[in-house]
Each structure stands twice: as C-alpha cells, then as structure tokens.
Amino acid sequence: MEEHNLIVVGDIHLQDKEPKKSQCLDVLDWIFNSDFNNPNNTLLMLGDLCEINSPYELYEIFIDCFENRSRFAKILIVEGNHECANQSTVLSLFRPLKNVEVITEWKAWEYYNCNLLFLPFYNHD
C-alpha cells in the first residue's frame, strides 16, 4: 500500500521585513524542495500566509510555489484571520489554481482513513 502523508504548515506570516521574510522563504524552499513534495501527499496550510495588508507581490510567491514548484496531489488553504481581513481580494488569488482548494467554511474531510475537521477563522463581530 502506498504511503500518503498530510503535510501541515501553519501561520507562515510572510512579510516584507527582514529577517522574517528570508526565514519564511527558507521554510517555503524547504517545503517545496523536500521529498514530501510528491503526488502521494497533500499540503495543508493553516492560514495566515502573509501579514494583514501585505502587498500582492508576497502572495505571488505562494502562487509561484503552488503553480510551478508543487508536486503535491492537492493543496488546501484554511482561511486564517489575516486572510479573512482581506478575503475579497486575497483568497480570490488562489481559487483558480489547479489542485488548490481554499476553505472558508467548516468542512469535514476524510483523508485515507483519517477524519479531519477544518474550522477556518470565524469573525465574531
């Protein structure tokens, strides 16, 4: 039986300021250059990809990784509070990408005999 892994990454908070930007880019390089980046695995990103009000150029880094570097079977992005603050523009960037699913409402999902419950950020206001 083939092994399928769920690779979970949370709260990268990519930003323009150094050294945080370089550190985040190193994490992304590791993820997309690792042996985990293969068609048997799914990448789950737990929101807060960038800081609130980050320039679109930072989100384009993720788009490049997802479109050009990913070999994952699927990439799931669970909405975090930073994405929720910019939902109308930020999340729309990822929706057209192949094999990328943006999760903005609770969702139950079975991943190879493991039941998962996704609970995106909920704005209580």
Side-chain angles (χ1 to χ4, degrees), residues 78-79 102-108 118-121:
V78 178
E79 178 182 55
V102 176
I103 300 170
T104 59
E105 296 182 6
W106 78 270
K107 176 180 179 171
F118 299 124
L119 298 171
F121 176 75

Side-chain angles (χ1 to χ4, degrees), residues 44-87:
L44 170 59
M45 303 199 78
L46 299 178
D48 294 354
L49 302 180
C50 294
E51 287 297 317
I52 294 175
N53 298 321
S54 291
Y56 283 107
E57 292 79 21
L58 292 181
Y59 290 98
E60 289 172 354
I61 292 169
F62 287 97
I63 291 170
D64 178 60
C65 288
F66 298 163
E67 285 190 317
N68 302 316
R69 299 177 62 191
S70 175
R71 294 187 310 276
F72 290 105
K74 189 169 190 92
I75 297 173
L76 304 168
I77 302 170
V78 178
E79 178 182 55
N81 64 311
H82 289 217
E83 286 82 27
C84 188
N86 299 318
Q87 182 178 12

